[in-house]
Amino acid sequence: TWSPTARAMPVIVFSHGLGGSRDAYQPLVQAWAEHGYLVLQPTHPDSLADESWRERLDALRDTRAYAAENVRYWDERPAEITYLLNHLDDLAAFLPLDRVDRERMGVGGHSFGTHTAALCGGLRTLGGDHAEPRTDAILLLSPQGAGNGIPTDGYAAIQVPTMMVTGSEDVS
């Protein structure tokens, strides 16, 4: 998503929550685009947008099995972001790349997507280093806390500007 009139568009890659898709978060994405950003929204493999996942969702609804099964994607998602950034030139058919500011790139996400953004920003986990060196800033909406592979000092490893948003009812 981008503004047809914007010049020197910084890049934002926004990662959806578990089960979501690139079609979510449109009011937020549209606002960024209207303010001159190029917003890329991958649909990750854990998305339920694909009809083949519907049966599995029904079978797993109200269980922790769905989330547990998809934790394997924590470490794959940052590689998907890297792949996307490595293939910005492939977008040339859709927009004039001379208007993309490749020196300013941010990664954001919501819930499970927040973990993706945090990993790109340098979050240290028990699973290794997944930092994406082109990440200049991260946005974490309802981030996970320590535990489940995130050591208590894991967030201290993040060295890029970070905006973290959570609510009083968010237990993570």
Side-chain angles (χ1 to χ4, degrees):
T1 307
W2 68 90
S3 165
T5 60
R7 299 282 179 247
M9 294 180 288
V11 177
I12 297 173
V13 181
F14 192 79
S15 184
H16 61 76
L18 182 64
S21 77
R22 66 178 173 79
D23 298 321
Y25 314 100
Q26 288 309 301
L28 181 60
V29 168
Q30 290 298 326
W32 285 334
E34 289 168 9
H35 285 88
Y37 291 90
L38 168 62
V39 185
L40 306 174
Q41 291 180 272
T43 294
H44 298 289
D46 58 82
S47 174
L48 295 173
D50 178 355
E51 288 300 316
S52 67
W53 278 87
R54 298 275 176 221
E55 270 184 39
R56 294 181 69 208
L57 175 63
D58 291 341
L60 297 170
R61 195 174 308 272
D62 299 325
T63 71
R64 294 190 177 265
Y66 176 69
E69 177 183 325
N70 285 289
V71 165
R72 68 176 183 230
Y73 292 115
W74 304 102
D75 294 342
E76 292 177 18
R77 280 176 162 222
E80 294 167 16
I81 303 302
T82 294
Y83 180 87
L84 186 59
L85 294 177
N86 286 346
H87 289 86
L88 276 176
D89 288 342
D90 295 342
L91 297 175
F94 304 103
L95 76 145
L97 286 177
D98 61 325
R99 294 178 23 212
V100 176
D101 183 349
R102 295 169 186 253
E103 298 301 314
R104 296 186 296 160
M105 296 190 185
V107 180
H110 171 249
S111 191
F112 200 58
T114 281
H115 186 73
T116 306
L119 286 171
C120 289
L123 174 70
R124 189 170 54 79
T125 69
L126 301 179
D129 179 16
H130 300 283
E132 166 49 62
R134 292 168 287 193
T135 302
D136 296 314
I138 56 176
L139 170 64
L140 309 179
L141 302 176
S142 297
Q144 294 74 24
N148 296 318
I150 303 173
T152 55
D153 63 346
Y155 281 89
I158 295 174
Q159 298 297 308
V160 297
T162 302
M163 180 176 186
M164 188 180 298
V165 180
T166 193
S168 60
E169 299 294 319
D170 192 337
V171 296
S172 63

